[in-house]
Amino acid sequence: MPHKPIAIYIVDSDPRALDTQVAFLKAAGYDTVPCGSAEQFLKLYDPERKACVVLELQLPGMSGSELQGYLASNGLDIPIVILTAHGDVPIAVQTLLAGAVDFIEKPASESRLLEAIGTASELIFDREPTRLSQKIIAQRLRSLTDREREVLDHLLKGKLNKEIALDLNVSQRTIEAHRARIREKTRARGIVDLVRMFG
């Protein structure tokens, strides 16, 4: 029997972004709870409800990252999808390692957002989201050269291209080329996939 769709708390202080997401997710069949701040979310949050949070990081008062930390330290286990206009590699790595389901930069494609919510739903209903086997991950890691693995290690620590270039004493363009080859060989769409595979 298919599960009833989960509820989605949307936490975003930009009223237009909030309205757009609410309209889109309602049309996709989800019950949505719009929240203009982390504090409002904490007032409205019902732990009994099967739900996930779509969270902007830049918020007035408590930030999205602080809310993520607060929920974790208080044992409130709710899947979080980061949807932000204020993301970069270090922040993406930090939120993913802290347990976010996905990290999506605005403007997000509708299919990408629905895919992330689908993963959150699988976690809620205790179905293991489809993950690559360790064997495939190990094969992809073996396909990288030593230098590419070195660049990957730096990326997983949340470093920017220019920082990695400085550390490895090469040009930023060289790092960009390495990143492109890493993505190609590991079949990763970006940093989110890399953290999922190797983080």
Side-chain angles (χ1 to χ4, degrees):
M1 197 178 97
H3 293 292
K4 184 173 178 284
I6 59 172
I8 300 168
Y9 292 92
I10 304 165
V11 186
D12 199 318
S13 59
D14 175 350
R16 275 173 51 196
L18 204 53
D19 290 348
T20 305
Q21 290 172 50
V22 166
F24 165 61
L25 291 168
K26 273 190 171 164
Y30 289 99
D31 182 13
T32 60
V33 184
C35 308
S37 66
E39 289 81 358
Q40 190 184 4
F41 162 76
L42 291 170
K43 274 189 197 135
L44 297 174
Y45 175 54
D46 173 6
E48 295 304 307
R49 207 167 184 193
K50 293 198 182 307
C52 81
V53 185
V54 173
L55 179 62
E56 167 60 79
L57 294 175
Q58 197 95 23
L59 296 167
M62 183 190 268
S63 73
S65 301
E66 285 166 348
L67 176 61
Q68 186 184 14
Y70 175 87
L71 291 170
S73 61
N74 285 279
L76 299 168
D77 190 16
I78 179 167
I80 295 173
V81 174
I82 305 291
L83 176 61
T84 184
H86 307 273
D88 59 21
V89 170
I91 292 170
V93 170
Q94 182 194 329
T95 57
L96 290 162
L97 293 177
V101 172
D102 208 338
F103 185 99
I104 306 170
E105 287 189 66
K106 291 177 181 170
S109 76
E110 295 182 344
S111 59
R112 178 76 193 280
L113 184 55
L114 288 176
E115 186 190 331
I117 288 167
T119 304
S121 187
E122 288 176 346
L123 287 168
I124 288 166
F125 292 109
D126 287 336
R127 289 202 304 268
E128 263 303 301
T130 339
R131 296 218 185 279
L132 290 172
S133 73
Q134 288 306 115
K135 190 176 166 191
I136 291 172
I137 290 172
Q139 276 170 355
R140 290 184 185 178
L141 195 56
R142 276 199 300 274
S143 73
L144 301 179
T145 64
D146 288 346
R147 181 40 72 97
E148 285 162 1
R149 285 181 77 152
E150 213 174 346
V151 171
L152 176 63
D153 285 342
H154 282 279
L155 283 171
L156 294 174
K157 286 177 186 147
K159 290 192 178 175
L160 299 167
N161 287 355
K162 61 181 178 192
E163 294 174 313
I164 303 173
L166 210 58
D167 285 348
L168 301 183
N169 203 17
V170 294
S171 74
Q172 208 168 314
R173 187 160 286 177
T174 303
I175 297 301
E176 282 159 15
H178 282 312
R179 278 186 75 161
R181 279 200 296 278
I182 291 167
R183 273 205 304 274
E184 203 179 300
K185 290 179 177 179
T186 60
R187 298 185 202 164
R189 288 170 303 183
I191 192 70
V192 171
D193 286 352
L194 291 172
V195 172
R196 281 211 189 116
M197 280 189 255
F198 309 112

